[in-house]
Amino acid sequence: MAKPRVFLSSTFFDLQQVRADIERFIKEQGFEAVLNEQGNIPYGKETKLEDYCYNEINNVDILVAIIGGRFGSASKTSPDSISQTELKTAYELNKQVYIFIDKGVYSEYRFYLSNKGNENINYTYADNIKIHEFIEFVEGLPHNNTIHPFETSMDIVNFLKEQWAGLFQRFLQEQTRVKEINIIKGVEDTAKTLNQLVKFLTEEKRDKDNAINEILLSGHPAMLEVKSLLKIPFRVYFTSWEELDSLLRAFGYRAEEDPLPFEEDFNWYSEKYNVKTTLSVKSHLFVDNKLRVLTKDEWKSDYISLHIFSAVGEEDDLPF
């Protein structure tokens, strides 16, 4: 069975006993402890030894960082120490992190904050000012940076007991909610399906309505009336005022200029061979310049009319 792997990060010589106590506690919980001095990190020959420590963090679940008064070995890849770089690596990999700082160092850190920039101060607990600078960096992180001061290894053990017990209790609670979550997910999936169905039916209805409108427009009484009145030998088709205007222009008609507001008719005029003709179309046949859909039963003969005026005032047929 898989065990949670816990990486223990700290300087070695000054915290050797603390590391041993924490290792024992980790194993008592049934977890796997990962410590450099115990050979838990496989080293190769391709790169620097410290890089294998950083790579191993990718394979653990938890990192426990213990910060004491010694800076430790400097990293060859960054200005930090190796243990500090291990902690930064865990942050970058979004691992669960627990940070413990020696109480004396942490108290001195507050003094450091009040005297930053003063190079004449000698610190008692930290052997390198970079320790305080690193604590400042950790405190400035937006999350996953809970810090707990300690005096003895038991302080660390007791804190981890509480934390890991809380994690386990939260896990049990989440397990009891799995059924509720599945129900909610089922409702969400159903709602998604219904939304897709509504969208499909809406689009289908829209397409159906468009198809019906196109069918009705193809045999619109207005087109048949214009074809008949003007004796056009081919099929007439228009769906807007502009298309009708273009058609009539092809037959020598010109639309009335500056029609009166709210006039009931649109008028087109033509004059050939001393014969003046006027084609009148009821304005309500167009809505926003688009031809209204009408059936033959709804059509009235006076919707479109042709008036012919000869030079002597006599009506006659069009001369074509």
Side-chain angles (χ1 to χ4, degrees), residues 162-224:
E162 293 291 333
Q163 289 294 310
W164 292 349
L167 286 178
F168 184 62
Q169 191 265 348
R170 185 184 303 168
F171 168 77
L172 293 177
Q173 283 188 337
E174 290 175 353
Q175 288 298 106
T176 61
R177 295 185 186 136
V178 168
K179 185 176 180 180
E180 298 175 10
I181 293 172
N182 289 336
I183 292 174
I184 293 172
K185 187 177 184 302
V187 172
E188 290 176 347
D189 291 341
T190 301
K192 183 178 179 181
T193 301
L194 289 175
N195 286 334
Q196 291 175 338
L197 181 60
V198 169
K199 182 179 179 181
F200 171 77
L201 293 175
T202 301
E203 291 177 351
E204 185 181 67
K205 182 179 184 300
R206 186 185 302 117
D207 293 340
K208 182 178 179 181
D209 290 344
N210 290 338
I212 292 174
N213 287 340
E214 289 178 3
I215 292 172
L216 292 175
L217 281 174
S218 65
H220 199 290
M223 303 176 193
L224 300 176

Side-chain angles (χ1 to χ4, degrees), residues 136-152:
E136 185 176 10
F137 162 77
V138 172
E139 282 195 338
L141 293 171
H143 58 83
N144 197 19
N145 61 338
T146 301
I147 295 174
H148 187 72
F150 76 95
E151 284 184 309
T152 67

Side-chain angles (χ1 to χ4, degrees), residues 280-310:
S280 298
V281 179
K282 294 297 182 184
S283 59
H284 65 74
L285 290 179
F286 296 91
V287 178
D288 295 330
N289 285 337
K290 299 294 183 181
L291 183 63
R292 284 178 54 203
V293 175
L294 293 175
T295 64
K296 291 182 179 180
D297 293 335
E298 296 172 321
W299 182 259
K300 293 183 179 180
S301 59
D302 64 343
Y303 284 173
I304 298 179
S305 57
L306 185 68
H307 306 281
I308 303 174
F309 306 93
S310 64

Side-chain angles (χ1 to χ4, degrees), residues 5-122:
R5 303 186 77 230
V6 183
F7 190 102
L8 190 55
S9 173
S10 74
T11 52
F12 177 70
F13 291 106
D14 58 324
L15 296 170
Q16 186 172 359
Q17 185 58 52
V18 174
R19 290 174 65 86
D21 293 341
I22 303 305
E23 178 190 11
R24 182 169 56 254
F25 163 71
I26 292 172
K27 291 180 177 179
E28 288 173 352
Q29 308 311 304
F31 299 168
E32 180 182 347
V34 180
L35 288 82
N36 173 50
E37 66 269 24
Q38 298 297 339
N40 303 128
I41 300 173
Y43 293 104
K45 60 181 180 179
E46 290 80 12
T47 184
K48 295 183 286 295
L49 294 181
E50 65 180 272
D51 289 338
Y52 292 99
C53 293
Y54 310 145
N55 293 338
E56 188 63 21
I57 295 173
N58 192 54
N59 301 320
V60 303
D61 305 290
I62 298 171
L63 183 136
V64 175
I66 305 174
I67 300 175
R70 292 193 59 181
F71 179 72
S73 301
S75 171
K76 296 179 181 179
T77 61
S78 74
D80 302 310
S81 69
I82 291 178
S83 58
Q84 290 174 348
T85 306
E86 289 171 347
L87 181 54
K88 284 187 174 181
T89 302
Y91 278 123
E92 292 171 358
L93 295 173
N94 198 30
K95 299 295 182 178
Q96 177 66 56
V97 171
Y98 298 97
I99 306 164
F100 300 92
I101 302 177
D102 178 271
K103 272 191 176 180
V105 174
Y106 204 42
S107 297
E108 189 176 70
Y109 165 70
R110 300 301 172 188
F111 177 75
Y112 154 81
L113 291 177
S114 302
N115 294 274
K116 281 198 303 183
N118 188 342
E119 298 179 357
N120 298 320
I121 295 178
N122 293 320

